[in-house]
Amino acid sequence: MMNGFGLRTLAAVGIIVVASVAVFLIGDLQASLVTLIGGIAAVLTAAGVGDGEDDAAPAPAAEPAAPPDHIPAVIDAIVEPILIVTSGQVSHANEAARALLGQHIVGQDVRLAIRHPGAAERLMSPLGQGAQPPINLVGLGAREQRWEMRIGDAAGGRRIVHLVDQTGSYAAERMRVDFVANASHELRTPLASILGYIETLGDEAGEEKELRERFLKIMFDEARRMQRLIEDLISLSRIEAEKYRLPDRAVDLGALIEEVRGGILDAQGENAAPIIADLAADVPPVSGDSAQLSQVLHNLIGNAIKYGRKGAPVTIRLERLPTGMVRFAVSDEGDGIPAEHIPRLTERFYRVDTGRSRAAGGTGLGLSIVKHIVERHRGRLDIESSIGKGTTVSVMIPAHGRAVIKR
């Protein structure tokens, strides 16, 4: 049977537990733990539980230890920059934030850590304003980088600053806008020529046979140029749609090179530039798509003929590399390409000499198509050029059956 003091002790403990649960429901976990642990310790001490005597002198209650602060560990697990701001100063910053803004930012005024007028105004605004739109920051970290800053309020007067890298998204959007603008320009130019000559033919010029035939030929050439551009755009779209599907059929590159070479020589007729095929005998087949690899060869050989010296030979070499890759290279004996242009040659619509490219019938998409096909085959594209000597474009593709590391 429990005595009166024991019942009172149990009731007191019960009251403290209820009070702790109430504090917890309000939302302050740390306060609830302190209340629960401290209150129970005080009641049990007063009740003499420690030595079994009701009238013993109460022992002083131990100070409950505060739970450890897990904020640094939590935000360090986030790969994007995160800052915790308390009273206008950076109290915590994860490794990503310190790498972006500097290792010294902890303890610093947040306006010095993130130097941007729009950011400073938002960071120093009063708390409790609810959800607000993110702020775009340009040049934070590096000149070309673009960040989106999002701010949220936390307990204890803290603010959580989240920086999201939007550089890739901005670059993709810029590429899309540039692509649409370039494609529109490339289509508008020949279309304007066609419409102009049609209008001229409707006037008195249509009565002169020679003039009419010359205008019709120009119109036909411009229409074919538009057709080639549209075909290249469709081809590029199809290749990009398939780029994650790895080709797995065995393709004999030696036989494919001979087939493409023969077709180009037949199409050029008697005035064809010599195309020399230097094919090694021990080359294994590659894992590939024969139609797309044929397109690569047509583009590279066609470029070598267009931009090489008139009558100079074009050479195709095929060999097996010690690494297990198969390499084919197309070389011309043209004027060469300045070094500053080489990194941009595979960009869509990029031309070293715009007038010469259009006069030769180029669409500005050939090497971009080659690059995407090579990427789909998990291969590598290299371009080497010497001024006055010529250009060599090399393609390396894994041999059939060789393990490929997907990138």
Side-chain angles (χ1 to χ4, degrees):
M1 198 61 130
M2 189 176 295
N3 59 25
F5 188 79
L7 290 173
R8 288 196 300 272
T9 303
L10 183 59
V13 171
I15 292 171
I16 293 170
V17 171
V18 172
S20 302
V21 172
V23 175
F24 175 76
L25 292 176
I26 292 173
D28 194 339
L29 176 58
Q30 182 173 341
S32 65
L33 289 174
V34 172
T35 303
L36 177 60
I37 295 170
I40 291 175
V43 172
L44 292 178
T45 301
V49 174
D51 55 8
E53 297 182 3
D54 290 348
D55 55 351
E63 182 76 19
D69 191 352
H70 294 297
I71 290 178
V74 171
I75 64 175
D76 271 335
I78 302 173
V79 297
E80 294 177 330
I82 298 288
L83 294 89
I84 307 297
V85 180
T86 306
S87 301
Q89 290 188 329
V90 179
S91 56
H92 299 84
N94 66 354
E95 182 57 37
R98 295 195 299 272
L100 174 66
L101 303 172
Q103 298 294 329
H104 61 281
I105 62 173
V106 177
Q108 191 177 51
D109 190 309
V110 69
R111 291 170 293 184
L112 298 177
I114 304 177
R115 298 175 181 270
H116 191 280
E121 182 180 353
R122 179 70 59 83
L123 288 166
M124 301 310 293
S125 62
L127 295 168
Q129 295 187 357
Q132 297 188 46
I135 298 175
N136 295 317
L137 308 179
V138 181
L140 190 65
R143 181 178 300 177
E144 68 277 2
Q145 283 187 299
R146 292 175 177 265
W147 296 86
E148 185 177 86
M149 187 181 75
R150 302 173 182 174
I151 302 175
D153 295 342
R158 293 173 173 175
R159 274 194 163 131
I160 302 173
V161 180
H162 182 197
L163 297 173
V164 183
D165 190 356
Q166 298 288 348
T167 307
S169 300
Y170 176 80
E173 178 64 16
R174 180 74 178 270
M175 287 177 60
R176 186 191 68 81
V177 172
D178 289 346
F179 175 73
V180 172
N182 287 325
S184 301
H185 174 74
E186 295 291 335
L187 288 169
R188 185 174 62 245
T189 302
L191 184 60
S193 297
I194 292 172
L195 292 174
Y197 285 115
I198 289 175
E199 184 178 354
T200 304
L201 285 173
D203 298 331
E204 297 179 359
E207 303 297 328
E208 302 180 22
K209 182 178 179 181
E210 292 184 2
L211 188 61
R212 183 173 68 250
E213 290 177 352
R214 183 164 68 88
F215 283 3
L216 288 173
K217 182 181 182 305
I218 294 173
M219 292 166 60
F220 178 78
D221 291 342
E222 294 294 333
R224 287 294 303 273
R225 178 180 158 192
M226 292 176 63
Q227 183 184 35
R228 286 193 299 270
L229 178 59
I230 293 170
E231 288 174 351
D232 280 354
L233 288 171
I234 293 172
S235 178
L236 189 58
S237 177
R238 287 175 178 170
I239 294 164
E240 288 184 327
E242 298 179 320
K243 67 179 179 180
Y244 297 112
R245 188 167 60 86
L246 185 65
D248 57 359
R249 293 189 178 182
V251 178
D252 184 349
L253 274 179
L256 186 62
I257 289 172
E258 290 290 4
E259 179 184 336
V260 173
R261 173 177 172 270
I264 292 175
L265 289 173
D266 290 343
Q268 288 188 331
E270 296 180 357
N271 297 325
I275 302 175
I276 302 169
D278 180 8
L279 312 178
D282 61 342
V283 178
V286 300
S287 297
D289 182 319
S290 59
Q292 289 188 350
L293 291 175
S294 174
Q295 191 174 8
V296 168
L297 288 166
H298 273 96
N299 276 328
L300 295 183
I301 297 171
N303 283 347
I305 293 172
K306 289 174 189 173
Y307 304 115
R309 285 194 295 271
K310 188 174 182 179
V314 172
T315 303
I316 310 169
R317 291 184 174 85
L318 176 67
E319 61 182 340
R320 179 179 187 173
L321 300 177
T323 58
M325 304 282 279
V326 174
R327 174 181 180 268
F328 66 90
V330 179
S331 303
D332 63 47
E333 297 181 5
D335 298 332
I337 303 169
E340 63 269 19
H341 293 287
I342 291 178
R344 300 191 61 189
L345 289 177
T346 56
E347 293 180 12
R348 299 173 185 179
F349 299 111
Y350 185 82
R351 295 180 172 96
V352 177
D353 186 339
T354 303
R356 183 180 179 186
S357 174
R358 286 177 177 162
T363 63
L365 293 173
L367 283 178
S368 181
I369 290 173
V370 168
K371 181 195 76 169
H372 282 82
I373 292 176
V374 172
E375 287 178 350
R376 187 198 168 203
H377 285 72
R378 305 303 188 266
R380 197 175 80 196
L381 175 68
D382 287 336
I383 303 175
E384 299 177 0
S385 187
S386 298
I387 300 298
K389 295 183 179 179
T391 302
T392 298
V393 182
S394 303
V395 175
M396 282 148 282
I397 297 175
H400 185 62
R402 179 178 178 268
V404 178
I405 299 175
K406 295 185 179 181
R407 296 181 293 177

